Amino acid sequence: MQSHTSFPIKNINTHLTEIKDYFKVAVSVDCVIFGFDGSVLKVLLIKSDLAQYKNKWSLLGDIVRPDEELDAAAYRVLRERTGLENVYMEQVHTFGALNRHPAGRVITVAYYSLVNIHHVQLRVSDFGLHWHAVKDIKQMAFDHKQILDTCVKRLQDRIIEHPVGFNLLPKKFSLRELQNLYEAVLGVKFDRRNFRKKFLSMGLIEDLHEVENDVRHRPAKLYKFNEKAMWKNTRFLNVNSID
Amino acid sequence: MQSHTSFPIKNINTHLTEIKDYFKVAVSVDCVIFGFDGSVLKVLLIKSDLAQYKNKWSLLGDIVRPDEELDAAAYRVLRERTGLENVYMEQVHTFGALNRHPAGRVITVAYYSLVNIHHVQLRVSDFGLHWHAVKDIKQMAFDHKQILDTCVKRLQDRIIEHPVGFNLLPKKFSLRELQNLYEAVLGVKFDRRNFRKKFLSMGLIEDLHEVENDVRHRPAKLYKFNEKAMWKNTRFLNVNSID
DNA sequence: GAACATTGCGTAACTTAAACGCAATTTAAA
DNA sequence: TTTAAATTGCGTTTAAGTTACGCAATGTTC
């Protein structure tokens, strides 16, 4: 079982005092910016103009500056592209395949963030920047499809355990909107009445005693997210059967 | 809500063709190697001999080589230190605080791995390499305590959802050993009888029709892990109250 | 006003988890 | 050889949570 190989052993944490010989790699961040339009989970992409990825879509990313924290770089990319600050963001995974970027060794730290899609106004100079339905995306530039898939999976894991989905909704929302969101993210169907019961019984949403308008049917009550109920230890959704 | 700032916008995925100007950062991997001695969760650490961290303990890590994949670098560190291959390993988080390493800007990708502690034979040249009880570790070199905490949390999340704990046990184990492991990792107490029922009913363990020996009490049955039951969609442990 | 769609609320059946009783097996002490 | 102590293995009861529905109320559209 033991086979001691690959000597000599080095350990950066004990032996490294000079790193200039190792300056052979660039680090970037890539942001998977999720939005929800009421029925479909979307992601903000930009059209790549690199020759080898002409007309392919890519994530929003940038090189991490030498004096910049990783999270700060991700927030900067988000801010520059959407104008938004203080949005939910989470580091997901770091991708470092040798030939993932044609310009050289670029190791990228992937983040996803959840924004209110209606708060994002794309500027004229943002030509080539568009919201795409996540489930319709088949291929992307670089390894970005893999990064997207990883972030979608992380979002699914997270939204089951923790009520992060509210970041994708307006402040006032109906139960139908909330359920649509969860069904879109998780790719499942819930029973409407049990879904309502679950969220109400956990105190996660609060009745605003208002109703929606401009709908073609009986208007639904509006609710807001109750932040006090956010930090609970219990899982708040059960998703054992996916269909 | 919209405040478009920080121009001009760059995007590595569309604009970058030369990265040599960005070669100002080193990338390393750090491995949180977990073991279990039958009652306590342990982690393999090495004594730092860097001047500023004299006598502090640090994780096992190394610079990622220019032509090396991230996972490969982590496996290399693990192999060089323990002689083990084909062990469970998972990337957790990337840490890039500006001054986290005295030698310069070193961004490190943290992994944790689960090994059978009895399969690791430390060599003579591994002076300063020791197993430490995770819960007794108060401070470490660099930002390694933060990295360790993050990996412990990830392990806890993972072991609740997925039966990865078997990687820390010998092939044959008793229910008491299994329960001790889960209690040590999660910091909770389970009812012995309900714990047994849960694992048996999910088909996760298989009766070997053997019993342990060299114990000072009634010997327990030995079980083995049933890999077929590994990939289930259902959560297999509920941990809502921590005490 | 009738047909239709959707919302809001309730209830029964089922499944799972939690709490706990108790006999069987082995070691160690009397 | 018996007895006490510790631990294992298996079971039952109770509580809690989930799932599957029924159905009236409220609105729009024709």
Side-chain angles (χ1 to χ4, degrees):
Chain A
M1 189 62 75
Q2 287 75 23
S3 64
H4 298 292
T5 57
S6 303
F7 294 88
I9 293 174
K10 284 186 184 173
N11 188 323
I12 187 179
N13 303 317
T14 56
H15 301 106
L16 181 70
T17 52
E18 284 280 335
I19 61 169
K20 65 173 187 290
D21 292 339
Y22 295 93
F23 283 161
K24 295 286 165 55
V25 60
V27 175
S28 67
V29 290
D30 277 303
C31 294
V32 175
I33 302 171
F34 287 117
F36 181 66
D37 69 355
S39 63
V40 172
L41 182 68
K42 299 204 165 183
V43 61
L44 190 59
L45 303 179
I46 192 168
K47 194 164 270 185
S48 174
D49 55 7
L50 284 186
Q52 49 269 75
Y53 289 119
K54 200 77 180 176
N55 290 325
K56 292 242 170 66
W57 294 91
S58 73
L59 299 170
L60 300 174
D62 198 5
I63 290 286
V64 176
R65 297 172 180 166
D67 60 344
E68 188 178 44
E69 304 273 341
L70 293 175
D71 290 2
Y75 276 111
R76 173 172 58 80
V77 168
L78 187 73
R79 184 181 62 247
E80 287 173 348
R81 290 298 180 176
T82 68
L84 297 177
E85 311 221 32
N86 300 112
V87 302
Y88 183 87
M89 188 154 74
E90 183 184 344
Q91 191 196 109
V92 175
H93 197 86
T94 296
F95 296 83
L98 290 177
N99 295 310
R100 59 170 299 281
H101 200 291
R105 186 80 197 270
V106 181
I107 291 172
T108 196
V109 185
Y111 289 77
Y112 81 87
S113 64
L114 306 177
V115 307
N116 183 326
I117 200 170
H118 300 112
H119 289 175
V120 178
Q121 290 179 352
L122 305 181
R123 295 172 302 108
V124 179
S125 63
D126 287 333
F127 182 74
L129 201 62
H130 285 290
W131 289 101
H132 294 250
V134 169
K135 66 176 174 51
D136 293 338
I137 299 171
K138 304 301 178 196
Q139 60 174 354
M140 297 176 69
F142 311 96
D143 55 353
H144 287 191
K145 182 61 163 64
Q146 183 191 1
I147 296 177
L148 174 62
D149 290 345
T150 303
C151 287
V152 168
K153 182 70 176 63
R154 176 68 65 91
L155 171 59
Q156 290 174 337
D157 289 348
R158 194 60 81 240
I159 208 172
I160 287 172
E161 292 287 339
H162 205 72
V164 295
F166 296 96
N167 293 291
L168 290 164
L169 290 175
K171 280 213 171 99
K172 301 176 179 185
F173 53 85
S174 68
L175 273 163
R176 161 59 44 187
E177 289 176 290
L178 185 63
Q179 183 173 345
N180 282 347
L181 168 63
Y182 276 81
E183 292 180 343
V185 170
L186 294 170
V188 299
K189 287 287 181 188
F190 293 103
D191 180 273
R192 188 174 56 83
R193 294 150 291 188
N194 293 334
F195 186 87
R196 162 196 310 276
K197 223 182 320 182
K198 185 73 184 176
F199 277 79
L200 287 172
S201 72
M202 296 211 67
L204 278 167
I205 57 177
E206 225 172 278
D207 194 337
L208 285 169
H209 302 291
E210 297 178 55
V211 292
E212 55 185 358
N213 44 25
D214 299 329
V215 286
R216 279 195 289 271
H217 51 75
R218 173 182 175 181
K221 282 185 178 182
L222 292 178
Y223 294 85
K224 69 167 183 175
F225 173 49
N226 178 4
E227 294 194 40
K228 291 171 198 157
M230 185 138 186
W231 308 104
K232 299 195 74 165
N233 199 14
T234 49
R235 158 185 284 210
F236 73 98
L237 266 185
N238 269 45
V239 186
N240 287 331
S241 60
I242 294 176
D243 53 350
Chain B
M1 188 63 73
Q2 288 76 21
S3 63
H4 297 291
T5 55
S6 303
F7 292 88
I9 292 174
K10 284 186 183 173
N11 189 323
I12 188 182
N13 303 317
T14 56
H15 301 105
L16 181 69
T17 52
E18 284 280 335
I19 61 168
K20 64 173 189 289
D21 292 340
Y22 295 94
F23 283 162
K24 295 285 164 58
V25 60
V27 176
S28 67
V29 291
D30 277 302
C31 293
V32 175
I33 303 171
F34 288 117
F36 182 67
D37 68 355
S39 63
V40 172
L41 182 68
K42 300 206 164 182
V43 61
L44 190 59
L45 303 179
I46 193 168
K47 193 165 269 184
S48 176
D49 55 6
L50 284 185
Q52 49 269 76
Y53 290 119
K54 200 77 179 174
N55 290 325
K56 292 242 171 64
W57 295 91
S58 73
L59 300 170
L60 300 173
D62 198 5
I63 290 286
V64 177
R65 295 172 180 165
D67 61 343
E68 187 178 43
E69 303 274 340
L70 293 175
D71 290 2
Y75 275 112
R76 173 171 57 81
V77 168
L78 186 73
R79 184 180 62 248
E80 287 174 348
R81 290 298 179 175
T82 68
L84 297 177
E85 309 222 33
N86 301 112
V87 302
Y88 182 88
M89 188 155 75
E90 183 183 344
Q91 191 197 110
V92 175
H93 196 87
T94 296
F95 296 83
L98 292 177
N99 295 310
R100 58 171 299 280
H101 201 290
R105 186 79 197 271
V106 180
I107 291 172
T108 195
V109 185
Y111 289 77
Y112 81 87
S113 64
L114 307 177
V115 307
N116 184 324
I117 200 168
H118 300 111
H119 289 174
V120 178
Q121 289 179 353
L122 305 181
R123 295 173 300 107
V124 179
S125 62
D126 287 334
F127 181 74
L129 202 61
H130 285 290
W131 289 102
H132 294 250
V134 169
K135 67 176 173 49
D136 293 338
I137 298 171
K138 304 301 178 196
Q139 60 175 355
M140 297 175 70
F142 311 98
D143 55 355
H144 287 191
K145 182 61 163 65
Q146 183 191 0
I147 296 177
L148 173 62
D149 291 345
T150 303
C151 287
V152 169
K153 183 72 176 63
R154 176 67 66 90
L155 171 59
Q156 291 174 338
D157 289 349
R158 193 61 80 239
I159 207 173
I160 287 173
E161 293 286 339
H162 205 73
V164 296
F166 296 97
N167 293 292
L168 290 164
L169 289 177
K171 281 213 170 101
K172 301 177 178 184
F173 53 85
S174 68
L175 273 162
R176 161 58 44 188
E177 289 175 292
L178 186 63
Q179 183 172 347
N180 281 348
L181 168 63
Y182 276 81
E183 292 181 343
V185 169
L186 294 169
V188 300
K189 288 287 180 187
F190 293 103
D191 179 273
R192 189 175 54 84
R193 296 149 290 188
N194 292 335
F195 186 88
R196 163 195 308 277
K197 224 180 320 183
K198 185 73 185 176
F199 276 79
L200 287 172
S201 72
M202 297 209 70
L204 279 167
I205 57 178
E206 225 171 278
D207 194 337
L208 285 169
H209 302 290
E210 296 178 57
V211 292
E212 57 185 357
N213 44 24
D214 299 328
V215 286
R216 280 195 289 271
H217 50 76
R218 171 182 176 182
K221 283 185 178 182
L222 291 177
Y223 295 85
K224 69 167 183 174
F225 173 49
N226 178 5
E227 294 194 40
K228 291 172 197 157
M230 184 138 186
W231 308 105
K232 299 197 74 165
N233 198 15
T234 50
R235 158 186 285 211
F236 71 99
L237 266 186
N238 268 44
V239 187
N240 288 331
S241 60
I242 294 176
D243 54 350

